[in-house]
Amino acid sequence: MSITRTARRARAEIAVSIAALAAGSLILTACGVSSDSASKLDGTYYVKDVNGTSELGQLVVKGNSVSHHEYTCDGVYQKPGVTSTGEFNKDQSQIIWTVAGEDSRNKRTGSESISTSDTSISISGSAYVRDNSDAGKALLGGFKAECQK
């Protein structure tokens, strides 16, 4: 069965259109990834002795959203004792806390200056280390060991 010249042309035009759509989709996806610099910070971070206590501080980053949780030894695998939520400002130099939680021990209010690296986020001088980094694994292991004493 032979394909007519018109049918071949139509198939070629469809193939070109699909290729153009695919290329456009890749460009848009790449732009979205590169323009969303917060996504490189996505993950879970920890600090020991949060706010001058013996508690474990956990920072969870998803895009521009940030949540902060504080755990005691008894609560490591349960609901956190203190929770706050916030967002990064436009240039990611601060976290603006939007919900301070109900616990009176909560220190996360207003805004706090931050600095970031590939494996940590420092909030007002306290370095939170990424959970899957060597420092994060050591910190979590040490905290759990102390809690079992």
Side-chain angles (χ1 to χ4, degrees):
M1 183 163 106
S2 67
I3 300 175
T4 65
R5 192 177 294 174
T6 305
R8 281 190 196 140
R9 190 175 330 133
R11 283 188 179 173
E13 288 174 3
I14 290 171
V16 169
S17 295
I18 290 171
L21 284 172
S25 175
L26 286 173
I27 290 169
L28 288 174
T29 301
C31 288
V33 170
S34 65
S35 67
D36 185 12
S37 57
S39 65
K40 73 177 182 165
L41 299 175
D42 281 4
T44 303
Y45 302 79
Y46 291 99
V47 67
K48 188 172 180 305
D49 301 331
V50 66
N51 299 327
T53 68
S54 61
E55 296 178 351
L56 180 71
Q58 179 190 60
L59 187 71
V60 180
V61 176
K62 290 183 182 174
N64 272 336
S65 297
V66 179
S67 59
H68 187 271
H69 312 281
E70 296 178 22
Y71 295 93
T72 62
C73 280
D74 294 338
V76 171
Y77 298 105
Q78 300 171 3
K79 183 179 174 185
V82 179
T83 295
S84 307
T85 57
E87 296 179 348
F88 291 116
N89 68 341
K90 193 171 186 170
D91 68 358
Q92 294 184 335
S93 63
Q94 294 183 331
I95 295 175
I96 301 161
W97 299 107
T98 54
V99 178
E102 298 173 8
D103 195 295
S104 61
R105 297 170 295 164
N106 193 340
K107 306 286 188 220
R108 306 287 172 205
T109 59
S111 63
E112 293 184 272
S113 60
I114 67 166
S115 61
T116 63
S117 75
D118 289 340
T119 59
S120 69
I121 297 176
S122 293
I123 302 175
S124 297
S126 295
Y128 288 70
V129 291
R130 194 179 286 269
D131 64 344
N132 60 0
S133 69
D134 290 342
K137 290 174 186 174
L139 187 145
L140 283 173
F143 187 78
K144 288 176 184 176
E146 281 181 30
C147 289
Q148 292 181 354
K149 289 182 182 178

